[in-house]
């Protein structure tokens, strides 16, 4: 990692703890939305439009972001929006991050990770962590939740990549599963660890379903704490048995919470059109654009107000009052995003707000755009 990133991270952490409203440091963790196009229509996914209607990040913008932020960043995530393997210059984007010695993590549904992609992923060694979103150990479950997915194809793609890494004695990318847990797939979580052991994945990261669309709220494990406790206990046992790491969230009702949010200091997400988000829970509300000068936005009035009030009873971003970081997983609002919908926007910043789109609508818009090219 670039030495500047270590220094920036240390200063950033101290400024966050001290709650300095205008930090000298730059964000440590970056999430770059390269594309909003996706080849699947997952049942729990709600998409969101870009303010200027751009569904693909121009590579020129990506290069400017890299030049400004990558030297001081510890990690670059390509995790939000659409399916990264649809981005035409994904390989170039990762190689550029490697040039800046920035650690990279990417989330994919695994469907498009074909032979050609596996070859350059192993050959370039520019992607450190590859997360495969996989929400069921059984074919019928995965394909029900991830509409359009092919269970056997994803397995085949993972097996090919793992075999290629082994044959070339390559370290990267390290593979792991992200499992969105809900009532209807919870009993399959313990089975994931044998699959990981067999396919060469080193961990399973479990996330609670956050109900955002028309899914029945009964699917949330917030309503089934005994089931969550039972499944998590068995998951830990199976993980130890197979030598695979299990990263599980706190149990509802047992989460001590009271964590201090550092997102306004440590994190930034940059959308396809350059607009900035300050955390993963501000889907509708942007807070300026990278093209307007990152430093002026990062240390500007809106960000200062956000940081100064993040712990208050009347935060500048109202949703901070209901956030899981502040309240833990014991609160219904941490599992049901339909609650407090008025809190997802900042009064006075209507020009930077965007509505939710249905995922199928976003896919059609995005793929129409790429068809023009």
């Amino acid at each position: 990692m670039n030495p500047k990133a270590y220094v920036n991270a240390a200063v950033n952490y101290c400024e966050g703890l001290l709650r300095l409203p205008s930090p000298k440091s730059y964000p440590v963790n970056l999430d770059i939305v390269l594309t909003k196009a996706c080849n699947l229509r997952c049942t729990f996914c709600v998409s969101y439009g870009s303010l200027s209607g751009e569904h693909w990040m121009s590579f020129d913008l990506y290069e400017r972001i890299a030049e400004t932020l990558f030297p001081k960043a510890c990690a670059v995530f390509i995790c939000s929006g659409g399916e990264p393997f649809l981005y035409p210059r994904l390989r170039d984007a990762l190689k550029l991050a490697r040039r800046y010695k920035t650690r990279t993590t990417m989330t994919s549904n695994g469907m498009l990770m074909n032979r050609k992609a596996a070859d350059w992923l192993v050959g370039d060694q520019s992607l450190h962590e590859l997360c495969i979103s996989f929400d069921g150990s059984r074919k019928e479950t995965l394909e029900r939740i991830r509409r359009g997915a092919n269970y056997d194809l994803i397995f085949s793609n993972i097996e090919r990549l793992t075999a290629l890494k082994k044959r070339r004695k390559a370290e990267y990318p390290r593979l792991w599963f992200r499992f969105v847990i809900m009532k209807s797939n919870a009993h399959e979580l313990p089975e994931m660890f044998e699959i990981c052991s067999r396919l060469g994945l080193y961990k399973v990261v479990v996330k609670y379903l956050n109900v955002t669309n028309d899914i029945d709220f009964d699917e949330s494990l917030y309503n089934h704490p005994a089931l969550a406790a039972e499944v998590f206990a068995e998951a830990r046992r199976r993980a130890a048995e197979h030598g695979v790491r299990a990263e599980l969230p706190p149990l509802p009702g047992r989460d001590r919470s009271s964590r201090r949010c550092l997102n306004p200091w440590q994190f930034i997400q940059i959308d396809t059109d350059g607009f900035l988000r300050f955390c993963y829970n501000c889907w509708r509300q942007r807070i300026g654009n990278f093209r307007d000068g990152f430093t002026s936005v990062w240390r500007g009035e809106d960000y200062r107000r956000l940081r100064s009030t993040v712990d208050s009873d009347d935060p500048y971003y109202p949703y901070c009052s209901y956030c899981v970081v502040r309240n833990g997983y014991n609160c219904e609002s941490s599992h049901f995003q339909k609650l407090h919908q008025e809190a997802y926007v900042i009064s006075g910043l209507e020009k930077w707000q965007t509505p939710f789109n249905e995922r199928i609508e976003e896919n059609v818009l995005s793929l129409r755009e790429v068809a023009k090219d």
Side-chain angles (χ1 to χ4, degrees), residues 122-366:
V122 175
D124 293 354
Q125 292 289 280
S126 56
L127 177 63
H128 298 99
E129 303 272 325
L130 177 56
C131 163
I132 306 296
S133 296
F134 209 81
D135 313 307
S137 64
R138 303 169 193 173
K139 179 180 176 69
E140 59 273 16
T141 303
L142 178 79
E143 294 181 357
R144 172 182 57 81
I145 294 172
R146 295 192 167 268
R147 294 172 182 162
N150 184 313
Y151 182 93
D152 298 319
L153 176 60
I154 297 169
F155 262 45
S156 175
N157 289 343
I158 295 173
E159 287 173 339
R160 182 192 299 116
L161 180 57
T162 300
L164 190 58
K165 281 179 57 185
K166 187 174 182 180
R167 188 161 66 247
R168 295 187 185 177
K169 299 180 180 179
E171 183 177 1
Y172 303 117
R174 299 203 303 168
L175 281 79
W176 48 279
F177 281 138
R178 183 175 63 185
F179 189 99
V180 175
I181 194 165
M182 57 195 85
K183 179 184 176 183
S184 61
N185 72 354
H187 60 286
E188 297 185 28
L189 174 61
E191 299 171 3
M192 295 292 294
F193 299 96
E194 187 277 330
I195 294 174
C196 284
S197 178
R198 176 158 45 90
L199 294 181
L201 289 82
Y202 80 98
K203 70 177 179 179
V204 178
V205 176
V206 178
K207 300 291 185 181
Y208 286 123
L209 171 71
N210 195 333
V211 177
T212 57
N213 48 25
D214 58 356
I215 293 178
D216 186 349
F217 183 52
D218 187 59
E219 273 284 87
S220 170
L221 289 191
Y222 172 78
N223 301 301
H224 309 281
L227 174 62
E230 176 186 346
V231 168
F232 283 10
E234 180 62 12
R236 291 190 181 93
R237 188 187 72 78
R238 297 277 192 95
E241 176 185 337
H242 292 287
V244 176
R245 188 191 307 174
E247 294 188 8
L248 308 174
L251 288 168
R254 304 185 193 177
D255 188 5
R256 296 181 180 179
S257 68
S258 67
R259 295 176 287 271
R260 301 189 78 196
C261 181
L262 293 174
N263 273 339
W265 290 266
Q266 293 186 341
F267 174 85
I268 195 79
Q269 183 185 77
I270 306 180
D271 212 340
T272 51
D273 52 7
F275 278 94
L276 309 176
R277 290 191 192 87
F278 43 89
C279 81
Y280 285 121
N281 287 314
C282 61
W283 302 110
R284 289 198 59 198
Q285 183 66 67
R286 274 65 161 175
I287 192 164
N289 194 298
F290 179 88
R291 291 186 172 103
D292 294 331
F294 179 78
T295 301
S296 63
V297 177
W298 183 245
R299 296 175 184 150
E301 179 185 356
D302 292 307
Y303 248 114
R304 290 199 302 269
R305 292 181 66 181
L306 175 71
R307 296 186 184 106
S308 298
T309 62
V310 68
D311 300 318
S312 77
D313 294 332
D314 185 24
Y316 187 48
Y317 181 54
Y319 187 76
C320 292
S321 296
Y322 309 105
C323 180
V324 64
V325 177
R326 180 185 291 200
N327 301 313
Y329 289 102
N330 301 333
C331 294
E332 187 179 16
S333 60
S334 300
H335 303 265
F336 196 24
Q337 207 168 49
K338 284 186 176 181
L339 295 177
H340 315 297
Q341 292 193 41
E342 73 287 349
Y344 287 93
V345 295
I346 296 174
S347 178
L349 295 188
E350 287 80 8
K351 63 179 179 178
W352 290 332
Q353 293 164 10
T354 185
F356 287 119
N357 288 342
E358 290 294 332
R359 167 53 71 187
I360 190 169
E361 176 187 358
E362 191 64 61
N363 291 352
V364 169
L365 291 171
S366 301

Side-chain angles (χ1 to χ4, degrees), residues 89-145:
R89 299 193 65 179
L90 176 61
R91 184 179 185 181
D92 294 332
L94 291 170
K95 289 172 75 173
L96 183 57
R98 182 185 179 186
R99 193 183 312 163
Y100 284 100
K101 299 180 180 179
T102 307
R103 189 165 189 83
T104 50
T105 298
M106 187 173 80
T107 298
S108 169
N109 56 50
M111 287 284 292
L112 304 178
M113 197 170 63
N114 56 26
R115 190 178 303 276
K116 182 179 179 181
D119 186 66
W120 68 254
L121 281 171
V122 175
D124 293 354
Q125 292 289 280
S126 56
L127 177 63
H128 298 99
E129 303 272 325
L130 177 56
C131 163
I132 306 296
S133 296
F134 209 81
D135 313 307
S137 64
R138 303 169 193 173
K139 179 180 176 69
E140 59 273 16
T141 303
L142 178 79
E143 294 181 357
R144 172 182 57 81
I145 294 172

